[in-house]
Amino acid sequence: MAQNGKPPKLPVEGKRNILITSALPYVNNVPHLGNIIGCVLSADVFARYCRIRGYNTIYICGTDEYGTATETKAMEEKCSPKEICDKYYAIHKEVYNWFNISFDEFGRTSCPQQTEVCQEIFKKIFENKWLSENTMQQLYCDTCERFLADRLVEGTCPTPGCEYDSARGDQCEKCGKLLNPTELKNPRCKVCQKTPRIRDTDHLFLELPLLKDRLEKYITEMSVAGGWSQNAIQTTNSWLREGLKPRCITRDLKWGVPVPHEKYKDKVFYVWFDAPIGYVSITSCYTRDWEKWWKNPENVELYQFMGKDNVPFHTVMFPSTLLGTGENWTLMKTISVTEYLNYEAGKFSKSKGIGVFGNDVKDTEIPVEVWRYYLLTNRPEVSDTLFTWPDLQAKLNSELLNNLGNFINRVLSFIAKPAGQGYDSIIPSIPDDVSGDSHNLTKKLADKVAAYIDQYIEAMEKVKLKQGLKTAMSISSEGNAYLQEAQFWRLYKENKSLCALVMKTAVGIVYLLACLLEPFIPSFTLEVFNQLNLPAEIHVSLCDDKGDVDRVKRPWDILSSGHKIGTPKPLFKELKDEEVDFYRKKFAGSQADRIVRAEAEAENVAEKLRKTKVSDGNGKKKPAKSSNEAKNKAVPEPDITITRLDIRVGLITKAQKHPDADALYVEEIDVGEEQTRTVVSGLVKYIPLDEMQNRKVCVLCNLKPASMRGIKSQAMVLAASNDDHSKVELVEPPSSAKVGERITFPGSEGNPDELLNPKKKVWETLQVDLHTNEDLVACYKNVPLTTSAGICKVSSIRGGSIK
């Protein structure tokens, strides 16, 4: 069963069947805007386009969870790789949900299906003798007593003219050159910073040179048939020109897919061998009939989306792997590659925390459709592009607000006016004395729109998403010009027949724009269809049953006369200069810089207040208060942020009924202190007493103690309830979470209040944004309640309130 609850789609004979993947985002960090536009957002636009064209389409993605980067992150956070993956998978999923990414399946490469599919592919290649064994020299750290995989080594890049001193063992982040760890100058172990030594170790290699003829035939044919982007062709040809070499596919690690071979049973597959196979294994999670998608090249077209640094693994390594099995795989038809999106003065960087990240975006007041629109108009299709705050402001204010939003609001607001001023929300009928074909201005508009629709489809079929968006927005500009030239407000008084034609044509253009822009800004489309009073799931389409688009080329015929529209309201809000200045300052530097800056600003404010002298009311100034008084009285109440809550993992050591209240339990809960805390909870009618025993819970520990029927409650257990409060469930941390550890909110840093001041309503203010999402994850806004062992969840309540 697919994630959206619908039966999984399978290829259909006689239809166009399209399988879409985007590069699997690595799970060890929060994705930034460059990651989002480079793979998942671009693929989402194409998937949505295919659906509104009536193609049988699935979009597969997931987190890439194996490899050194995960092990390294787990070391940093002092937990297991599995716990890291659980934590960041939830964060990735939250970010993509917020961005309205329409996956048919968003899975994980650490699933059992990945091991099964990966090992089967390996066995076939091994049987076909496309593998070789070789002894290679690898860096070994005597201090850590382990071979060091690529990413566990750092050093100076050997490339002349680069010599970046923090190059990784697999690739230099500065010049982009692929490396072997032994090539680095001055190598050091990333864990202990000691100099490793070279030692022999045996590994398995995929013999790319033996597969060269098959691979080149595939590349030559498919790069033309699939219209590969130029940057993909250039990168692939450069690999071929340099000569294919045997590629090592095993690593001396523990976290990965085990190699099913007796000699190599202590090794795992190299992440770049197993990660692309993740597309297949995640599809197998979507449907047991996954081979109908992946072993059906005659009926399925495979489109893959990624950033330029991933190209050779998808045009050389992955196809070679599949060709080596000798089976009839669905090989990639079209690859769409982006260059880099840079941030203000430099590069986005996950490792350095530079740029705007997915969780940052959710915390701004800028709506998702604005973010999607800006990233897609700025999509780095042929060269690097630059994200700047003033540019985002300009595109929002001029293109979305003044062009698109203005056109739609003018049309719908006029139709919604009461009779005598407008059409009382009813789409007018066109009288017999006028027609779209005979009215010169309207016919001219229709011809332009028809041409734009053809251009839009041509661009989107070739995965030129930026051009497709620009073309759609041109129709909005034509609509505004049409309204101005027609002067509909004057026609309403002077020529009602012609005014009816103009307004019915204009509202048809509104509908058309909503359809054309759905792949790019789907939340905008939903709102427009809401204002049109039409169910979007039925009406958003760019074709009829036969796949033709002729009906939308006659805009006056698109919507039926007599249909009553909904309530118009503005679709976009202006972004002001002071807001832009605020965001530029807020997101300047690295994430670490921002924390330091915020702490320094807070200290600066406190220091100023300590030194300030205040008037006694008679014009005289009182001396400055002592530093202790200043701390107690002068420092203002800090902002109400989620970090002020002290929520911990607790263990109920004993639970019993309240002696004087039938609806209350009294629990003794271990929250990591010397003594347990007594907590009174109103859960009797929702949770049986035996289910309350020895159970881990989330406990709010810094509420002011309160007496409940004679027993003082020293904390509060968090629980979720549905809308009518007929169902209540405990918010549960992972079973392996440590008792007493503080629950965190990734992206937010700060210490909790010792005790929440009830007069300031801190808990009451924050509680309204605590909820469970569609995946049963407990969240503050869109950020999951997170422990070192993973995220906190409930059993079955979706969209519930937490208190």
Side-chain angles (χ1 to χ4, degrees), residues 720-756:
S721 62
N722 59 0
D723 289 343
D724 62 3
H725 210 66
S726 60
K727 191 175 185 181
V728 175
E729 294 174 349
L730 291 172
V731 176
E732 294 188 88
S735 59
S736 57
K738 298 169 188 171
V739 172
E741 75 166 289
R742 190 178 171 209
I743 288 167
T744 59
F745 300 84
S748 298
E749 302 289 339
N751 295 319
D753 292 8
E754 189 172 326
L755 197 67
L756 296 174

Side-chain angles (χ1 to χ4, degrees), residues 674-714:
E674 286 185 16
Q675 294 184 326
T676 59
R677 292 202 189 194
T678 301
V679 179
V680 181
S681 306
L683 297 170
V684 170
K685 69 176 183 176
Y686 304 108
I687 302 173
L689 183 59
D690 61 336
E691 291 182 20
M692 293 290 291
Q693 311 295 337
N694 296 311
R695 184 168 183 172
K696 283 186 180 174
V697 287
C698 298
V699 185
L700 178 59
C701 294
N702 58 345
L703 279 178
K704 185 178 179 181
S707 184
M708 299 178 72
R709 291 291 185 96
I711 296 177
K712 185 167 280 190
S713 182
Q714 300 168 319

